[in-house]
Amino acid sequence: MPANILLVEDEPAIQELIAANLHRAGHHVVRAADAESAQRIVRDALPDLVLLDWMLPGVSGIEFARRLRADERTRAIPIIMLTARGEEQDKVAGLETGADDYITKPFSPRELVARIKAVLRRRVPQATEDAVELGGLRLDPATHRVSAGGETLALGPTEFRLLHFLMTHPERVHSRAQLLDQVWGDHVFVEERTVDVHIRRLRCALEPGAHDGLIQTVRGSGYRFSVHPESVPTAR
């Protein structure tokens, strides 16, 4: 699936080349030439992934990565460092800062796209087009279909995104605020009770095949997708 990628690169020619290849791969790219501009972009809306050049004017890429990892709101954003520094100690420094991957310039566009896909699959599985099968349900992002026992289920777009996130993060409890950030986006201002409305709609869509019990309510905490609905008392 298309990902929202923040590209922080100060060399215009390299920035243009990377952005063109990412657009060609289906991603949406927002550009910044320095850490200060990137910080403002992140403040408005969280990207799915940050491509971050090591050598930036002013605040370095390493320092910006540290800032992202130190902030609870941004610490989970995947980061891929881009740098001409290929020495082992530099790679270690980048990874210890919290980068998920490290690509040495020059690199091929195919390698970059492959690395991005690998990091997204690992850190943000709902941002990929990989089909998910769990608890008797199959969700295919490429065709935007959910099926159970060979029968296609009718889900609205928000319910589809909500189910996709829950199925790619099973057995974990997610608060309403977390679901709003992950499914609606943290730049969208809606009430937390909106989540409850869409959870009810999702359960109604799953009910004909008796899969509604996979969506659990954990009292006082939030919701989770679990293939063991009997393991913890839940409420609808």
Side-chain angles (χ1 to χ4, degrees):
M1 294 178 69
N4 294 314
I5 297 176
L6 171 58
L7 170 60
V8 191
E9 167 63 62
D10 64 316
E11 296 187 36
I14 296 178
Q15 186 189 91
E16 182 64 32
L17 178 62
I18 292 175
N21 281 281
L22 293 181
H23 282 304
R24 194 172 298 118
H27 300 300
H28 174 68
V29 182
V30 178
R31 310 185 200 185
D34 53 59
E36 288 81 2
S37 300
Q39 187 68 60
R40 289 193 293 271
I41 292 170
V42 170
R43 193 178 299 124
D44 291 337
L46 294 180
D48 295 315
L49 181 142
V50 176
L51 279 178
L52 181 58
D53 185 35
W54 181 305
M55 302 296 291
L56 292 172
V59 177
S60 70
I62 285 288
E63 177 57 32
F64 182 55
R66 288 196 184 99
R67 293 181 183 181
L68 293 176
R69 289 293 179 252
D71 188 332
E72 182 178 358
R73 177 174 171 268
T74 58
R75 66 180 48 167
I77 299 175
I79 299 172
I80 297 180
M81 298 292 299
L82 306 176
T83 179
R85 304 166 68 111
E87 292 79 9
E88 182 179 358
Q89 62 267 28
D90 294 324
K91 294 182 180 180
V92 171
L95 294 172
E96 286 183 344
T97 300
D100 295 272
D101 203 352
Y102 186 109
I103 303 179
T104 303
K105 300 175 182 177
F107 49 80
S108 72
R110 289 182 62 188
E111 178 189 8
L112 177 61
V113 170
R115 296 281 194 97
I116 289 172
K117 184 176 182 179
V119 169
L120 288 174
R121 183 183 291 114
R122 184 168 68 248
R123 291 287 302 272
V124 196
Q126 74 272 17
T128 71
E129 289 190 338
D130 296 341
V132 188
E133 294 190 51
L134 200 60
L137 293 177
R138 175 182 171 81
L139 183 148
D140 189 345
T143 60
H144 213 271
R145 289 176 178 166
V146 177
S147 59
E151 296 294 325
T152 300
L153 305 179
L155 269 69
T158 301
E159 287 72 45
F160 183 91
R161 294 196 306 271
L162 182 57
L163 180 61
H164 192 193
F165 177 77
L166 291 171
M167 287 183 70
T168 51
H169 299 81
E171 309 299 339
R172 304 181 196 175
V173 179
H174 305 279
S175 69
R176 292 177 178 86
Q178 289 171 331
L179 290 172
L180 283 174
D181 285 351
Q182 296 294 331
V183 178
W184 281 261
D186 79 327
H187 59 294
V188 177
F189 299 100
V190 294
E191 294 185 0
E192 290 189 359
R193 289 296 173 182
T194 300
V195 176
D196 301 338
V197 173
H198 289 280
I199 286 287
R200 285 197 296 271
R201 292 177 181 173
L202 176 57
R203 283 176 172 150
C204 287
L206 299 179
E207 194 170 15
H211 292 90
D212 52 312
L214 297 170
I215 311 298
Q216 298 182 356
T217 301
V218 181
R219 291 186 184 276
S221 299
Y223 298 101
R224 72 169 158 221
F225 185 100
S226 176
V227 296
H228 307 292
E230 76 286 351
S231 57
V232 177
T234 61
R236 294 177 65 87

